[in-house]
Amino acid sequence: VTPSGSADVVIVGGGVIGLSIAWRAAEAGFRVTVCDPDPGRGASWVAAGMLAPVTEAAVVEAALTSLGLVSARMWPTFAAEVEAASGIDPCLRTDGTLVVAFDSDDRRALEELLAVHRALGLSSEWLSPVECRRLEPLLSPRVRGGVAVAGDWQVDNRALLGALVGAGHNRNVEMRRKAVVCLRGDGTRIDGVELDDGEVLRPAVVVLAAGAWSGQVGGVPPSARPPVRPVRGEIIRLSGPADDPVLLRTVRASVQGRSVYLVPRRNGEVVVGASMQEAGFASTVRAGAISELLGDAIAVVPAVAELDLVETTARLRPGTPDNGPILGPTPVDGLLLATGHHRNGILLAPLTALALVAVLRGESLPVEAKAFTLERFG
Ligand code: GLY
C-alpha cells in the first residue's frame, strides 16, 4: 500500500490488537479506519494485563514463547510511546511474577514447570516457602514453595485501551462504531467492507482483528478464513486499600491442580482469573467458575477475603489449533489477519502492530512472526 490517498486500511475489530495496529499504522502515514460497535470492550477489557511469556510458557511451545519474549522486550518502549502519544499512562509494572504451589502435588508440578523453563533457557529461580513469604508476606503459610519469574510483568489493560484510543485519535484514526456485516470481493481479492448501516467502505487493505469472531465475519473466502474458536474466560475484579496492598507483584498459583492468578494494581485493585471453557459463544458468568477462582485465591492469599468484590465478567479468547496468533498475509489480495492471540493479546500487541505495519509497507514479517502466518494450517 502507498501511505497516501483515502481509506488505506480498514481494521475490523477495535480490541487491543486492532487499536495497536491502527495507531502504529497511522503513525507510519496510513489513513486508518477502525470498525467496532464497542471498541475496547471485548476480551482485552476483561484481561488481567499480564505480560507473561514465561509463566504462560508451560502450556505452549517454544516458537510462541520466543514470540512472547520478543514482544515483552518491546513493552517498555511501547508503553512510553503510547503514553507520550495519548497523555495516558498504561501503568507498566516490571516487578515480576511469583508462581507458588499450594500442596505437595502442586509443588511437584511447579518443579516440572521450572524444568520446562530451564529447558527453554529461561532464568526462573526456585524459592522456599520462607523465601516466598519474604517476597509476599500475606501468602498462606500452607504454600509449599515457589518460582520467581523476574521478566513477567503487567500493564493496566483498561488504561492501555484508553491510551491506544487516544493515541489513534491524535493520529486521525477514524473510529466507526459499527458492526461489519461482511467483506466484499470476488473470492481472490477483498474490495469492500459492508457496515450494518449499509455503508460500504473501500480501503486498499482490510485487517481482520475481530478476536473470537474472526472466523465468523461474512464474506471471508474459505482460503483466508482463520481457524479461530471462542474460549470463555471468567475473571474477577476486587478492590482494596491502595496504601496497604495485599500483594506487591503478580502471584500465580497451582491449587490442587487448578491454576489461579492474582494481579495487583497500584490503585488497590486485584484482578483474579481466569476460567478456560469451550462452550461456543456463550459468555455469561457462571457461579461455579467464580466460586472456584475466589476459593483458590483466598486459599493462597487469605487476606483476599477482606477485599470488596467489584466485578465478575466473562469474555471470549480467540483460540487457535496451536494457541499461537495468526499474523499477516492471506491468499486473498487485500486481506491481512491479526487474530487468534488467545491468552496473550496484551503481551503480543506491540509485536503484532510492528508485524502488520511491516506487511502494510510491503516488507516481510519480522523473523519471529514468520512461523505465525495462516499458511501453517495448510
Ligand atoms: N492470559 C491470561 C488469561 O488468558 O487468562
Side-chain angles (χ1 to χ4, degrees):
V1 195
T2 314
S4 65
S6 63
D8 297 316
V9 184
V10 166
I11 299 176
V12 181
V16 70
I17 296 300
L19 293 172
S20 297
I21 298 167
W23 164 50
R24 289 303 210 193
E27 266 189 342
F30 295 95
R31 288 183 48 156
V32 182
T33 298
V34 175
C35 302
D36 193 316
D38 204 6
R41 289 297 183 277
S44 25
W45 178 249
V46 311
M50 291 185 295
L51 309 174
V54 177
T55 51
E56 294 276 346
V59 288
V60 297
E61 68 288 275
L64 184 52
T65 301
S66 308
L67 192 76
L69 288 168
V70 172
S71 202
R73 282 196 286 274
M74 296 173 70
W75 256 102
T77 306
F78 191 78
E81 290 181 358
V82 79
E83 182 178 357
S86 66
I88 298 172
D89 178 1
C91 304
L92 173 67
R93 279 181 65 170
T94 57
D95 21 31
T97 293
L98 176 63
V99 193
V100 298
F102 189 69
D103 66 16
S104 41
D105 285 342
D106 295 321
R107 185 188 155 114
R108 268 190 293 280
L110 195 55
E111 284 164 358
E112 282 164 24
L113 179 69
L114 186 63
V116 171
H117 290 178
R118 299 238 159 103
L120 289 167
L122 305 168
S123 59
S124 302
E125 191 194 337
W126 183 261
L127 299 177
S128 69
V130 170
E131 289 168 321
C132 289
R133 276 192 296 281
R134 204 172 289 141
L135 291 179
E136 291 293 348
L138 296 185
L139 279 178
S140 163
R142 291 191 57 179
V143 161
R144 303 294 300 268
V147 168
V149 179
D152 275 9
W153 301 335
Q154 62 142 308
V155 290
D156 182 332
N157 52 303
R158 293 183 177 180
L160 170 68
L161 291 164
L164 288 169
V165 168
H169 177 81
N170 292 340
R171 285 281 181 180
N172 299 319
V173 170
E174 189 190 0
M175 187 63 74
R176 302 297 286 268
R177 292 175 175 266
K178 298 281 171 200
V180 169
V181 174
C182 65
L183 306 186
R184 289 192 176 180
D186 64 2
T188 63
R189 75 159 283 112
I190 297 298
D191 62 12
V193 178
E194 185 179 331
L195 305 182
D196 60 2
D197 60 0
E199 188 183 359
V200 179
L201 308 177
R202 299 273 177 204
V205 176
V206 176
V207 178
L208 186 53
W213 287 269
S214 298
Q216 309 290 310
V217 175
V220 177
S223 64
R225 191 169 286 280
V228 172
R229 66 181 197 286
V231 180
R232 170 157 52 180
E234 285 133 321
I235 197 161
I236 302 162
R237 280 175 154 79
L238 306 170
S239 159
D243 56 359
D244 189 17
V246 294
L247 290 174
L248 303 170
R249 58 182 61 65
T250 296
V251 169
R252 304 183 73 139
S254 174
V255 182
Q256 295 170 336
R258 297 179 300 274
S259 295
V260 66
Y261 52 74
L262 300 94
V263 183
R265 308 268 196 244
R266 295 222 189 281
N267 63 4
E269 181 180 72
V270 179
V271 184
V272 175
S275 62
M276 290 270 283
Q277 197 213 19
E278 308 218 9
F281 285 88
S283 63
T284 48
V285 178
R286 296 167 302 156
I290 298 305
S291 154
E292 192 164 277
L293 288 168
L294 275 181
D296 289 343
I298 291 169
V300 175
V301 185
V304 163
E306 300 306 318
L307 301 180
D308 294 332
L309 175 58
V310 177
E311 186 183 308
T312 59
T313 338
R315 291 288 190 279
L316 301 170
R317 303 178 184 88
T320 63
D322 62 6
N323 295 329
I326 309 174
L327 306 176
T330 69
V332 174
D333 279 350
L335 180 60
L336 304 178
L337 299 176
T339 187
H341 291 72
H342 196 223
R343 294 180 61 100
N344 294 299
I346 309 282
L347 169 67
L348 295 175
L351 183 66
T352 299
L354 181 83
L356 269 289
V357 172
V359 176
L360 287 171
R361 283 176 154 149
E363 299 163 6
S364 57
L365 283 167
V367 60
E368 308 76 20
K370 283 189 198 295
F372 291 96
T373 61
L374 180 65
E375 214 179 0
R376 74 186 188 276
F377 298 114

